[in-house]
Structures are given as structure tokens and as C-alpha cells.
Amino acid sequence: MKTPYIYFGQKGYYYESDSSGDQEVGGDSATSLTLAGAGLLPVDHAHNTASTSTDAYNIIIKAATGTTGDRADDNLTDFLTGIDFTAAANPAAGDVTALRAKDWDVANTSQVTVITASGSVGYDIQNNDKLWLEQVARHDAAGNGPSASNLSSAFAYPMANFMGANPVAYAGEHYDGTALDQTDLYFLKSDGTGGTDIIRIIHTANKYPDLVKTMEAIANCGIYNRAVTFYDLDINGLETFAGGPSLSGANDLGIKGCWRTTA
């Protein structure tokens, strides 16, 4: 019996709203990011040294309130609007700041720490600031290599192995204010072990029905000479989408994250 294959690339994505104003990403103290929770594992990076590992992801902070002296004085432009900040060193409420590689460290197995603001380096995170870590390119050093131990690597499944889609509560938003949801897609492993893989999708809120219809469209597409790409991100940052139920090839589902984990 013929069945289409579906291919998933990877895009790591992590969001938090920091209620305690600490400098750590992933918790109130030094906490390692996980593949299940973030979709990528940043490798060690010292903020005062050059590193290509940071080319693969951005760290974005959205200020909850206006403060003084809490941003590097040479970080000049709002990441979302492209407009110059009124005062570089003084975050205003709603400012969206992209950190530079010199503004954070990674150590001790994917523990990310934002450097305290001082002169031309760092950012002081305040209570209720929002932070995102978003993968922007496929890159081995960002925990997205082809290693067999890396569950987040790209993968393809026969659609006959698709078991179902589970909507998961996700109290998050994108840095442009778009509300987000999470859907976990379940597949029977193709290695004969009887285990289950999960493809975790972070997407625009209320798109669960369209996502399920997209899976139905792929199952019935009649394409058997190649895998149908649901989502992919290449080394140059180019994204490929299946689209929504019409398989338009556009980002109709508003996908922000896509990665593989296990049940």
C-alpha cells in the first residue's frame, strides 16, 4: 500500500516571561535548556570571544517597563520596527531588543546567561520582561547537527505512521505580539521498536484545526516519489512550508518552532 512521506526540519524556539528579573534563560537560576522544551541546545559560548555557534539563533527581549542604564549603549535599533531607540542605554516599555553575541554566555550544558549591562555590553532583565530564543538557521554548533544522539535532527515518516495531533496549552506569544499555541504530532517510530516520536509545532493561536486539515491533505496528496516537506530551515535561514490545508507553500499556520522529541 502506497503512503506519502512527510519531512520535518527543525527550528528551535523558546519563550519565557520573566517574573523575577534574573539574568538566566530557562529558570530563575542557571538552568540548562532541553531539546523537549526549546528544540535546540546552544553550545558553550563566551560573550567576549568570537563564535559562529551564535549565528544560528537570536535572543530577543521585550521590555515590560521603561528603565535607565539597563541596555548596552551601542545597541541602537528596535529589532521589530527597525527604528532607532530614543535612548540606547534606556529601554522603554515595548522596546524589542536583539542581543548581540557579546551580550550573553552559554556554559555548563546549554545554560544561557545574559550579561549584566555595562557600557557597550549586555542587558539587565527586569520583572515581567519577555524573552525569546529563536533559531534562525540550521547549524551543527547550535545543537542541530546530524548526530544520532540529537533527537531534534530532521526526520521523515510515512504518513501511515501518523497517530494523531494533540493541542497543548501554551501561554506564550511572539515578540510581535501574535498569540501562539502548541500542537504535538505523534508518529510511530519507523525503526520497528514500537516507540513514539513527537513533532512539536509552535504556531499562531487557533490554527489547530487547520494544522490537522494540513496533515489530512498531505496524507491524501498522492505524492509518492518524494517526501512532502511540512517545514524546513536551511543553513542560510531559508524556510520552506507545506502551507495550510491547501498546501499553498506559504506559512499559513504561522509556524515559529518545529522539532522532534519523544513521548
Side-chain angles (χ1 to χ4, degrees):
M1 177 180 175
K2 287 185 175 180
T3 181
Y5 271 68
I6 185 170
Y7 167 86
F8 297 93
Q10 181 211 345
K11 180 179 181 178
Y13 188 89
Y14 176 80
Y15 163 81
E16 68 178 24
S17 181
D18 200 314
S19 60
S20 62
D22 60 88
Q23 298 296 110
E24 307 297 335
V25 176
D28 293 338
S29 58
T31 303
S32 295
L33 294 176
T34 66
L35 285 174
L40 79 165
L41 298 177
V43 299
D44 286 1
H45 159 70
H47 75 276
N48 57 351
T49 60
S51 173
T52 59
S53 68
T54 58
D55 295 343
Y57 61 96
N58 289 330
I59 296 178
I60 310 295
I61 297 174
K62 191 172 187 176
T65 60
T67 59
T68 301
D70 289 329
R71 180 170 54 210
D73 59 17
D74 66 345
N75 198 330
L76 305 177
T77 306
D78 188 290
F79 180 72
L80 183 61
T81 67
I83 298 172
D84 286 349
F85 295 128
T86 301
N90 304 332
D95 278 0
V96 177
T97 302
L99 303 186
R100 294 77 47 85
K102 65 179 181 177
D103 296 324
W104 77 85
D105 285 326
V106 185
N108 301 319
T109 314
S110 301
Q111 294 178 1
V112 182
T113 303
V114 177
I115 302 302
T116 300
S118 177
S120 62
V121 175
Y123 191 106
D124 290 353
I125 299 174
Q126 306 299 310
N127 291 354
N128 301 315
D129 282 354
K130 296 173 181 178
L131 181 145
W132 294 263
L133 189 152
E134 181 180 27
Q135 188 169 359
V136 294
R138 186 175 178 86
H139 197 303
D140 285 359
N144 186 29
S147 167
S149 65
N150 187 346
L151 281 175
S152 63
S153 295
F155 212 74
Y157 302 88
M159 282 301 295
N161 285 22
F162 179 52
M163 301 166 66
N166 182 34
V168 180
Y170 187 85
E173 63 183 59
H174 197 49
Y175 45 77
D176 64 1
T178 301
L180 300 177
D181 282 343
Q182 175 182 317
T183 299
D184 287 351
L185 305 176
Y186 286 76
F187 288 87
L188 184 68
K189 285 180 178 291
S190 56
D191 59 6
T193 62
T196 303
D197 277 349
I198 296 171
I199 300 296
R200 183 151 291 159
I201 309 295
I202 308 299
H203 55 84
T204 297
N206 302 315
K207 290 290 187 177
Y208 173 77
D210 283 348
L211 197 156
V212 172
K213 291 175 184 177
T214 301
M215 296 297 290
E216 180 183 22
I218 293 172
N220 296 323
C221 70
I223 297 173
Y224 305 114
N225 62 344
R226 60 176 176 83
V228 177
T229 297
F230 182 90
Y231 175 82
D232 197 24
L233 175 68
D234 74 10
I235 60 174
N236 297 310
L238 179 65
E239 295 179 292
T240 302
F241 307 94
S246 67
L247 303 183
S248 68
N251 192 12
D252 298 333
L253 302 175
I255 293 172
K256 305 300 183 189
C258 175
W259 63 88
R260 180 167 64 108
T261 182
T262 56

